[in-house]
Amino acid sequence: MAADTLLHRITDYANRADPYPLYAELRESKVARQDDGSYLVGTYHDIAALLHDPRISSDRRNRTVPDLIDTADEGLPPSFIAVDDPEHDRLRRLAMRPFGPPHTPGRIDGMYEAITQVAEDLIAGFQGRDRIDIVDDFAYPLPVTVICRLLGVPRDDEPRFHAWSNTIVESLDPSPGQNPEEHRHAGREARRAMGLYLGELAEGRRGHPSDDLLSAFVNDDGPDGRLTRPELMTTAVLLLIAGHETTVNLITNGMLTLLRHPEELERLRGAPELMPRAVEELLRYEPPVQMLPQRTPLADLDVSGTAVPRGAPLILMLASGNRDPVRFRDPDRFDPTREDNRHFGFGSGIHNCFGAPLARLETQIALHALLRHLDRPRLVEDPPPYRSSPVLRGPRHLPIER
């Protein structure tokens, strides 16, 4: 079949449950120009080179062709994942200062007990039920609750965040038959409301520091100064949306993979110390983010013999690179003890996922808790119903029987 329709076929919902044969087809071409003028890149080494190439922009304003993806904002500046250096570097350093090393090295590890308690509380809700939905009952509420605690959202306000998050997710991933423009508008309004709320909450902590990210954003003076209020609002909303979506998919894809490989499930149940390496393999084998559709070359490029013009949409197919046999031995096999596993599960380069340490820890705790409490979990349907998004790919529901 024609390589110039690969993107149409990859984004076709009919292929959501198993896009990997299409990725193998893409790797044969290495780079495939599409009929809309975009270029798909599918091999590991090409993707790695482009992720580290300063001539590749993450700012959609550098495109010379119309961008069909909705980019309307909520009156806020773009988040740091949507801009280039030096602005990206400044904003990311300001956001990272209270979040991780070197300034706050113990932030994530210090959340181990809190995350474990959230997981245990959710699992307690399984009692007396023969059937549960891993997404609705566990993987969806866990990360949004954790991020609320990280930001310092009062417990009484957490339901508001769950509601905003639901609306935003639906705007990113409308169901068939729904009006996508209505959902996009609702999503923008939810992001705006969330941003305004977080801005007000942070301002209330100015001069009254506490041990949470919002307090640190307004009270901690580093060498780069502080985030402005609009920047703080954008960054806080990004932390919730990006951190929540990737972690839901990682937990759900992980549980689905283990249920499809019962011998590996039992192996991890008996040797939980293998879970960190297993999560790395899940990030390679079924990554929560399948592609990066928002890259643009700032100059004419040659990518494996294909001329890619300046300003053209460049789509890096991370999940394809993760299954490249040139880089990974037996790449279509799930191997939780795989070594030399430098995958693209969190991207790479200067835009490597900001929240990767937290997502890793949440997923390790979540899968360990599920394996410990679910004696004989069984899939109700395989494949399960998937979300419509080809970018943030994962089951919309994962019903299991206990």
Side-chain angles (χ1 to χ4, degrees):
M1 299 180 73
D4 64 356
T5 64
L6 267 171
L7 185 59
H8 292 291
R9 287 181 280 146
I10 289 169
T11 57
D12 185 345
Y13 184 78
N15 295 312
R16 193 72 68 249
D18 185 15
Y20 293 100
L22 295 174
Y23 297 154
E25 184 180 335
L26 171 60
R27 289 192 297 272
E28 292 179 4
S29 303
K30 294 189 177 180
V31 181
R33 187 185 187 279
Q34 301 301 284
D35 54 11
D36 64 356
S38 62
Y39 291 78
L40 307 187
V41 182
T43 64
Y44 181 93
H45 293 295
D46 282 342
I47 293 170
L50 291 168
L51 286 172
H52 291 263
D53 192 327
R55 298 171 297 174
I56 302 300
S57 171
S58 294
D59 191 333
R60 292 184 185 276
R61 293 171 294 186
N62 287 314
R63 289 194 169 171
T64 57
V65 297
D67 195 337
L68 300 180
I69 298 177
D70 177 49
T71 57
D73 60 25
E74 304 77 44
L76 298 175
S79 64
F80 59 77
I81 65 171
V83 295
D84 300 328
D85 286 343
E87 185 66 356
H88 160 266
D89 186 47
R90 181 185 72 85
L91 291 171
R92 183 169 174 130
R93 282 202 311 270
L94 284 168
M96 181 60 78
R97 185 173 169 83
F99 187 72
H103 182 68
T104 318
R107 171 77 70 180
I108 302 304
D109 287 344
M111 297 188 69
Y112 180 91
E113 291 185 4
I115 297 171
T116 300
Q117 188 60 56
V118 173
E120 294 291 334
D121 289 346
L122 290 169
I123 289 173
F126 299 172
Q127 296 301 315
R129 299 169 58 186
D130 295 328
R131 178 179 292 197
I132 59 173
D133 183 347
I134 292 295
V135 177
D136 287 349
D137 297 328
F138 188 78
Y140 189 88
L142 187 147
V144 71
T145 301
V146 170
I147 292 174
C148 282
R149 308 277 170 87
L150 180 68
L151 291 170
V153 174
R155 298 286 179 94
D156 290 345
D157 286 347
E158 286 183 10
R160 299 171 68 183
F161 269 78
H162 284 263
W164 283 327
S165 183
N166 279 332
T167 301
I168 293 167
V169 169
E170 289 177 0
S171 75
L172 297 170
D173 194 38
S175 299
Q178 295 179 332
N179 185 325
E181 182 51 43
E182 289 182 4
H183 281 275
R184 281 194 291 267
H185 176 73
R188 288 194 294 269
E189 289 300 307
R191 286 193 294 271
R192 186 181 68 84
M194 185 186 293
L196 289 172
Y197 169 88
L198 291 169
E200 289 292 333
L201 193 62
E203 282 300 316
R205 293 184 184 157
R206 192 180 297 277
H208 307 282
S210 54
D211 186 24
D212 57 68
L213 284 189
L214 290 179
S215 178
F217 284 152
V218 295
N219 290 299
D220 180 22
D221 282 316
D224 298 295
R226 295 179 183 175
L227 293 165
T228 66
R229 183 165 179 172
E231 290 168 350
L232 183 152
M233 292 161 62
T234 300
T235 300
V237 171
L238 171 68
L239 283 174
L240 190 135
I241 297 172
H244 179 252
E245 288 307 288
T246 54
T247 308
V248 171
N249 279 353
L250 183 54
I251 293 171
T252 310
N253 286 336
M255 194 62 191
L256 175 59
T257 299
L258 292 176
L259 289 167
R260 286 172 169 170
H261 297 81
E263 70 288 351
E264 300 297 352
L265 186 153
E266 291 302 326
R267 184 181 189 181
L268 288 171
R269 197 198 301 274
E273 68 273 9
L274 296 177
M275 188 61 77
R277 186 179 290 186
V279 169
E280 295 308 305
E281 174 68 346
L282 290 168
L283 283 159
R284 183 199 69 84
Y285 185 77
E286 287 278 23
V289 179
Q290 296 269 298
M291 65 183 85
L292 295 178
Q294 72 277 22
R295 296 298 191 262
T296 309
L298 300 174
D300 294 344
L301 298 179
D302 181 291
V303 184
S304 284
T306 297
V308 180
R310 178 183 67 84
L314 190 63
I315 302 176
L316 306 183
M317 307 300 291
L318 304 181
S320 175
N322 279 352
R323 298 275 188 115
D324 190 341
V326 174
R327 175 59 180 82
F328 297 102
R329 182 178 180 181
D330 199 4
D332 293 321
R333 182 170 67 90
F334 172 63
D335 178 6
T337 62
R338 186 182 295 272
E339 298 180 354
D340 186 25
N341 197 358
R342 187 169 293 184
H343 53 73
F344 293 135
F346 290 123
S348 189
I350 64 169
H351 286 283
N352 188 61
C353 178
F354 173 87
L358 179 59
R360 283 184 166 103
L361 182 62
E362 286 180 284
T363 305
Q364 292 168 20
I365 292 171
L367 293 178
H368 174 64
L370 288 170
L371 296 189
R372 191 157 56 87
H373 289 283
L374 300 177
D375 294 332
R376 292 183 297 276
R378 298 177 301 282
L379 281 172
V380 173
E381 54 183 317
D382 192 11
Y386 273 79
R387 300 169 60 171
S388 63
S389 173
V391 178
L392 299 169
R393 176 180 166 272
R396 176 60 190 89
H397 297 285
L398 187 63
I400 66 168
E401 292 178 345
R402 310 174 57 198

